[in-house]
Amino acid sequence: MQADFSSATSSGGSGGSGGGVGLRGRLVTGLPGDSVIDDGTVMMAGGTIQWCGPTSDLPETFDADIRQVPLILPGLVDVHCHGAVGHTFSADVEGARMAAAHHAAEGSTSVLASLVSAPSNVLLEQIGVLRDLVQDGTLAGLHLEGPFITKSMCGAQDPAAIIDGDPALLKQWLEAGRGTVRSLTLAPETPHFDELVRLCRDYGVVPSLGHTAATAAQTRGVLGAGAGAGQAGPWSATHLFNRMPPLGHRAAGPVAVMLQAAEQSPGQMVLELIADGVHLDPEIVRMVFGLVGPRSIALITDAMAAAGMSDGHYTLGSLDVLVQDRVARLLPAPGAVAADEEEPGAIAGATSFLLENVRRCVEWGIPLADAVAAATSTPARLMGLDSPGARQVGAIAAGYRADVLAVNEELELVQAYRAGTPQTQERNDRADSSV
């Protein structure tokens, strides 16, 4: 699919001197298959992208000042994120606004708020608060990471909050969300799995396999059963490799099946990867990109409250977390005795921002256009955020919301625009002069 380089309007008038913003530089559209445009221009006005393409094709009607920057990317789309700057996405509405705003200022202009396993009344309260932030555009949606997962693979979640699959509870949460819940992490082995998936399809929610001890056969069975029972639709894998059985040559586990599904049906199985240098080895990231390509990969952060903060003590859900050297790990419960005093606690989310993970992927040898697509158009398409309308995101193309990043050649942020509005004080030391 090639980007639409036409104007968003029949005439170029709205892109003229009426307060629009122009950027010129190397242009990455975010769409898989699109090559980098060495000299491209993006024109933004009225909150949308009015025109984009090679600078040589820019219509003369666009006469606004154009800023020269090294590199232009789409605003990033993070579909698995728990918070930032000391705040967790929860029933704290102002804290949630601050976390979302900080991610936007770091380049993630569309963020799904991820909620960890919790008692039903707590989830209902959180959904009731956060749905309003989805409806007003602060958040792009909600992600329920549990509680229908496996206790042995709970990771940094409270095992006491993990329960068997309960379709009646799920329906209650989805009804409370009023269309704002976009994904649900669940384990293939949870009871009533098929009914849960059917509810997801009915409410437009993407089922995401994760926090699971499933075998390869179990995983293949639920994917096949879903397709054969009129439950066709996209799937995802919650932070592939993390909190699931490892890929082994005698016991393949769920990873092998999900890799095959992603390779065979691009876009129908999307694999989340946390490319923060802690959760996954660079060789694993390179392998997955090589096997399935960017149409089937969503780079995520899994960021928690410590993102954008210094090392120290934090919480994730009801659990205590210690961050040291930007690595978050669970602390033992009070009075608990570790089996091995030297064994660290489970990794408890991450502290990186999505642009940092894109940068790491490029440093590890992933082509720039592929890394960007995996952080923009693929997650946007997975969650239905690329549907035409005022909130269409995930790429640089005419008519999309003007979510655009200006970055330098080292992929450090110069400025983030969300709906054409700057999200942070411009970092002039990273920008070139205007033209």
Side-chain angles (χ1 to χ4, degrees):
M1 179 179 180
Q2 293 293 314
D4 179 3
F5 293 145
S6 62
S7 173
T9 58
S10 58
S11 67
S14 65
S17 56
V21 177
L23 297 175
R24 177 180 178 179
R26 292 178 64 217
L27 172 60
V28 184
T29 69
L31 294 171
D34 275 14
S35 57
V36 177
I37 300 173
D38 288 333
D39 182 10
T41 294
V42 179
M43 301 301 298
M44 301 176 280
T48 62
I49 296 172
Q50 298 295 313
W51 187 91
C52 66
T55 302
S56 59
D57 295 340
L58 179 66
E60 294 182 359
T61 50
F62 290 96
D63 57 357
D65 290 337
I66 298 175
R67 180 78 170 173
Q68 180 79 44
V69 296
L71 194 57
I72 307 167
L73 312 178
L76 307 185
V77 179
D78 190 357
V79 297
H80 189 150
C81 178
H82 295 278
V85 289
H87 299 284
T88 298
F89 290 125
S90 64
D92 174 11
V93 64
E94 290 309 315
R97 285 190 188 278
M98 291 177 66
H102 195 82
H103 278 284
E106 293 291 339
S108 296
T109 51
S110 297
V111 171
L112 261 64
S114 298
L115 307 180
V116 295
S117 300
S120 181
N121 64 309
V122 174
L123 285 175
L124 281 171
E125 181 185 16
Q126 293 174 344
I127 292 168
V129 169
L130 295 175
R131 73 186 178 205
D132 293 338
L133 299 190
V134 179
Q135 292 168 345
D136 73 14
T138 300
L139 295 169
L142 306 181
H143 162 222
L144 306 183
E145 191 177 7
F148 309 136
I149 56 178
T150 297
K151 288 186 178 181
S152 64
M153 290 292 181
C154 64
Q157 299 210 36
D158 184 357
I162 294 170
I163 59 176
D164 287 346
D166 187 329
L169 273 182
L170 177 59
K171 184 173 183 180
Q172 188 178 4
W173 302 334
L174 299 183
E175 290 282 354
R178 299 177 186 171
T180 62
V181 178
R182 295 191 179 274
S183 67
L184 168 73
T185 296
L186 72 171
E189 62 269 33
T190 195
H192 307 293
F193 181 89
D194 289 345
E195 295 173 68
L196 297 173
V197 172
R198 190 174 300 113
L199 274 170
C200 286
R201 300 304 186 201
D202 289 345
Y203 283 83
V205 175
V206 176
S208 185
L209 306 183
H211 287 277
T212 175
T215 64
Q218 285 177 301
T219 307
R220 190 178 299 280
V222 298
L223 290 175
Q231 298 176 14
W235 299 82
S236 70
T238 297
H239 42 55
L240 188 72
F241 293 100
N242 299 119
R243 289 300 152 187
M244 58 184 65
L247 176 63
H249 65 290
R250 289 194 177 93
V255 173
V257 176
M258 290 189 281
L259 283 169
Q260 291 176 61
E263 189 276 331
Q264 293 169 0
S265 302
Q268 289 301 297
M269 168 59 81
V270 174
L271 311 174
E272 291 183 359
L273 296 179
I274 310 175
D276 64 349
V278 175
H279 285 78
L280 297 173
D281 187 272
E283 290 292 351
I284 292 293
V285 176
R286 282 192 286 265
M287 179 192 75
V288 177
F289 268 93
L291 288 174
V292 307
R295 286 181 175 84
S296 295
I297 295 172
L299 293 178
I300 62 166
T301 61
D302 200 12
M304 44 85 72
M309 301 288 285
S310 59
D311 287 356
H313 291 266
Y314 297 87
T315 59
L316 181 59
S318 61
L319 303 180
D320 292 324
V321 175
L322 176 63
V323 177
Q324 293 180 311
D325 298 325
R326 296 193 71 194
V327 178
R329 290 188 179 275
L330 284 185
L331 285 172
V337 178
D340 182 350
E341 294 291 342
E342 300 301 319
E343 184 178 349
I347 296 174
T351 62
S352 293
F353 294 103
L354 193 51
L355 185 58
E356 294 179 273
N357 293 355
V358 171
R359 184 188 312 136
R360 287 188 189 92
C361 285
V362 174
E363 291 172 351
W364 296 341
I366 307 302
L368 173 63
D370 289 353
V372 171
T376 55
S377 60
T378 296
R381 184 186 67 247
L382 172 68
M383 297 301 168
L385 303 176
D386 63 343
S387 300
R391 296 185 181 180
Q392 185 179 20
V393 298
I396 293 179
Y400 277 61
R401 194 172 75 186
D403 290 3
V404 178
L405 309 183
V407 302
N408 65 15
E409 293 292 351
E410 287 72 43
L411 296 179
E412 297 171 323
L413 191 65
V414 174
Q415 181 58 271
Y417 297 88
R418 190 173 190 269
T421 301
Q423 298 299 295
T424 187
Q425 183 176 354
E426 186 165 294
R427 299 164 190 185
N428 291 314
D429 58 321
R430 298 177 180 175
D432 293 338
S433 59
S434 59
V435 295

